[in-house]
Amino acid sequence: MKKFLRLLLICSSGLLFIVSCSPVPTKEYSKQTKKDRQFTPVFNDTFQKALYEVEISYGSKNISGVAIIKKMEENQTFRTVFMSETGLKYFDFEYFQNDSMVVHYMMDAMNRKKIIRALTTDLGLILKRNPDQKLLTYFLSENPSDGLMIKEKQKGRNYFFSEDHGNQPSKICHRASFSPSTNIEINYNPERIPSKIVFMHGIIIFKMELKLITE
Amino acid sequence: MIIQLSSIYKKTILLDLLLLLLLPFAVIGQPEGYKLASDPGFITKKINEVSASTNSINSQFIQEKNLSFIKEKIISKGILLYQKPDKLRLEYAEPFTYILIMNGGRMMTDNGDKKSEYDLKSNKMFSEINNLIISSVKGNILDNPDFKSAIYENAEIIYINLTPLNKELNKYIKTIGLYISKKDYNVSELQITEQSDDYTLIRFTNKVINEEIPPASFNLQ
C-alpha cells in the first residue's frame, strides 16, 4: 500500500511538473537585441482607475463580485480590491513599481498561502510596470502578424505576447516548476483600457474573469 | 485549493446572508449628533410592533462602498423586495446586474452569466443564519445574543449600533449601524463597517410597505 501511495505521489508530482512546464509556443520567434525595445505594461501611463465585474470559478462552484484597480498618485503604485456585489471585501493588494507588493487585507476564509500566492502572482502579471531589464529577453515572430514576445525570468518564466512593439500584451503565460501554469488573455477597449481579462490555471479547474464596468 | 475555495464560497454566502437579514430593517448613520436613547425599551417595542405589522417591502436602494484609499465611492443601485416570513430579493441594476434571492431554505444568485442555487439547510452555519433571519423578521433582532446593541437618538432619527459578539463574524464586521426614522420606525439606512474601517452604506428610498409582491419575484426566471 505504501509503495502504491509513493508511486501515486511520484506520478502526480511528475504530472504536475509536466503540466507546469507545458510549452509556450516560442519556436517561431527569433531573439532580438534589447536596443530600442521596451516593456509595455497592461495598464498604460494614462490609466487612472477602473471597475470590473469579477467571476471566479473552481470546479462547479463560483464566486462573483466586483474589483477596483486604481493607480495611486502618491507612490505610483497599483491598488486593487476585490469584493462581493454587496460590498464584502475579499482582498486588498498594492503593487509597487519594483515588482514588490503588500497584502493590505485578505479575508480570513481566503487567508491561505496557496490562495495568496495564486492571486498575487496572477494580478502581479497584469500590474507589472517596470520589470528589471536584465531579466528580459525580446523575441520577434517570424510571422509578422504574431508580433512580439518578451520573456522574463523571475520566479519561473513569464511570457508577454504583443501584436506589435509598443502594444500592450494580449496574452501572458506564467510557467514555474511544481506550480500550475497560468495563461492570461486580455482584450482592450478603444481607449486601450483592458476590457476583459481571463486567467486560466493549468490542471486545476480554476478560472478568473474580469469584465470592465466603468473607467 | 479547491477545498479551501469551497470554504471561502460558503463563508461568503453566509456573510451575504447576514447582510440580507438586516435589509428589511434598512437605514444608515453615524453616531455624531446622537445621544443615548432616553427610553430604549419604548424604542424596542415600537420597532418590534412595526416589524410585526410589515408583511412586505418594495424599495429602491443605493449602495455606497467606501474604501479608505480612494476618495470616490463605488455606487450601485437596485431594488429590494421582501415578503414575510422569509422571502427576499436583492436586484442590482447599476452599474452591474446581479440578483440574489432567498426563498425558504434556498438561496439563488444570477450574475447574468451564471445562475446558482444553494441549500441553506445543508449545514449548521447556514441553518443558524436562517434562524437569525427569521428572528430578525419577527422583529427581535435587538434581543439577539450574537450582537451587543446600543441605541442612540436625536430629534428625528434612532441609531442602533450592533457589535457582533460571535468571533467568526467579528473577523469581518466591526459594527452594523441601523438608522430608523422616528416618523414610521422603518429602517432608512444600513451601514456595515469592516475591521479596516472601510464600510458599505445602503440607503433605502421610495419604500412601499405591505403592497402585494408577485410570488414569481422570489424565483429565478
Side-chain angles (χ1 to χ4, degrees), chain B residues 5-210:
Chain B
L5 284 169
S6 293
S7 167
I8 295 161
Y9 152 80
K10 282 180 183 174
K11 291 191 179 179
T12 303
I13 292 295
L14 287 174
L15 290 163
D16 278 343
L17 277 177
L18 175 74
L19 176 69
L20 284 176
L21 78 86
L22 293 161
L23 287 176
F25 290 89
V27 185
I28 292 182
Q30 302 239 350
E32 295 134 18
Y34 291 80
K35 59 177 184 176
L36 270 174
S38 56
D39 190 352
F42 173 77
I43 290 171
T44 304
K45 184 169 169 277
K46 286 294 290 182
I47 291 171
N48 287 347
E49 281 174 7
V50 169
S51 177
S53 65
T54 301
N55 294 314
S56 72
I57 299 171
N58 182 337
S59 175
Q60 294 175 358
F61 70 84
I62 299 171
Q63 177 179 299
E64 297 176 4
K65 181 68 184 176
N66 292 266
L67 298 165
S68 59
F69 70 88
I70 185 170
K71 286 179 187 172
E72 303 92 333
K73 296 165 183 171
I74 301 168
I75 294 175
S76 44
K77 297 176 183 178
I79 293 171
L80 170 124
L81 301 175
Y82 163 73
Q83 179 69 58
K84 211 172 190 176
D86 56 5
K87 293 177 182 172
L88 208 54
R89 179 187 179 102
L90 193 62
E91 182 169 352
Y92 290 83
E94 296 178 47
F96 52 84
T97 57
Y98 179 71
I99 300 170
L100 199 158
I101 293 172
M102 203 168 67
N103 187 344
R106 293 179 302 142
M107 179 168 164
M108 295 156 270
T109 62
D110 182 356
N111 66 2
D113 291 330
K114 193 166 186 176
K115 293 176 184 175
S116 303
E117 183 167 339
Y118 317 105
D119 180 7
L120 298 178
K121 295 170 186 167
S122 63
N123 88 20
K124 193 184 168 189
M125 278 289 276
F126 279 171
S127 187
E128 284 177 6
I129 293 284
N130 216 5
N131 291 336
L132 199 58
I133 293 165
I134 291 166
S135 70
S136 310
V137 172
K138 283 179 180 171
N140 54 358
I141 191 169
L142 289 171
D143 302 329
N144 193 308
D146 288 334
F147 294 94
K148 183 178 80 177
S149 64
I151 305 177
Y152 303 86
E153 65 180 337
N154 63 22
E156 297 167 349
I157 302 287
I158 295 160
Y159 171 75
I160 299 175
N161 185 289
L162 299 165
T163 306
L165 296 175
N166 180 308
K167 280 183 184 174
E168 196 63 27
L169 201 55
N170 196 250
K171 288 177 185 172
Y172 304 100
I173 295 171
K174 192 174 183 179
T175 62
I176 294 164
L178 300 171
Y179 287 76
I180 299 174
S181 165
K182 280 188 175 177
K183 285 181 184 170
D184 57 9
Y185 284 84
N186 272 312
V187 177
S188 57
E189 295 178 1
L190 161 69
Q191 179 170 316
I192 298 177
T193 306
E194 298 167 32
Q195 290 297 347
S196 63
D197 286 334
D198 290 340
Y199 64 91
T200 305
L201 180 67
I202 303 176
R203 187 174 292 118
F204 295 87
T205 59
N206 300 326
K207 191 185 275 188
V208 179
I209 307 291
N210 291 342

Side-chain angles (χ1 to χ4, degrees), chain A residues 10-22:
Chain A
I10 291 167
C11 288
S12 55
S13 300
L15 180 64
L16 185 61
F17 180 77
I18 290 163
V19 171
S20 67
C21 295
S22 57

